[in-house]
Amino acid sequence: KDVTEDVISFYSEMNHSNNTTTSKLPVVNGDLIAITAVDQRDNTKYLLASFHGDTNGLATIPVVTAVRNYATSKQPDCRLLFGLDANTYTKPEADQLGVTKFAEFYTSNMLNSCYGSTPNPYNFTTFHARTHLQAQLNKAVAFEDKDLKGDKNPKDFILFFNADYRVVETSKDNTGKLKYIE
């Protein structure tokens, strides 16, 4: 069952009742989806969520807060699995979300990630540099500068409650052969 609108509404209700100045969740259509599902084999209930964050990651903490609070208040019998492009940064600018700050946030909220409670800031999940063959020329990077000016950051996470899962191993594969080539 799609519960995306319920998550968004619950966030607004909670912030309105707490007299918070920002009661609207910073998402647009397509940024967030949340569904409940039941495993027919053992009747385990799940809250599955997916989020694509804004470029600087500033919507990430409010959205994780919304999903977490909805999970604990409205779906306490569900196991949360939350995949997200958090858009965190190894060395954040003042207007960007740092990976260390994000980890401090999620661990303080009884959550863990596929990278554990202290993710390596240099375990990049994104590495891209835009060419000059696209409309945003101010974002273009010359080939010889791709390693220095390209976007190399740890942006992608899977979050879950500490009580539900534990991290045994995390690996990356960009070959289809269970290997990762930097």
Side-chain angles (χ1 to χ4, degrees), residues 51-117:
F51 171 64
H52 181 266
D54 59 299
T55 300
N56 289 356
L58 302 181
T60 298
I61 287 178
V63 171
V64 172
T65 299
V67 172
R68 181 218 178 271
N69 290 348
Y70 178 80
T72 58
S73 297
K74 300 294 186 180
Q75 301 290 341
D77 57 339
C78 287
R79 289 183 168 201
L80 174 66
L81 284 172
F82 188 0
L84 63 156
D85 174 355
N87 278 326
T88 58
Y89 292 83
T90 298
K91 297 176 182 175
E93 301 290 331
D95 65 341
Q96 295 174 327
L97 177 60
V99 67
T100 302
K101 180 180 177 184
F102 180 55
E104 290 167 355
F105 162 76
Y106 68 70
T107 56
S108 72
N109 281 278
M110 300 179 304
L111 294 167
N112 202 347
S113 85
C114 55
Y115 305 112
S117 58

Side-chain angles (χ1 to χ4, degrees), residues 90 121 124-128 146-148 150-155 182:
T90 298
F124 305 130
T125 61
T126 298
F127 182 10
H128 79 273
K146 70 179 179 4
D147 288 332
L148 293 173
D151 182 1
K152 291 169 54 170
N153 285 290
K155 295 187 174 195
E182 192 72 39

Side-chain angles (χ1 to χ4, degrees), residues 13-20:
E13 290 168 19
M14 292 299 295
N15 282 349
H16 181 70
S17 68
N18 292 334
N19 295 321
T20 305

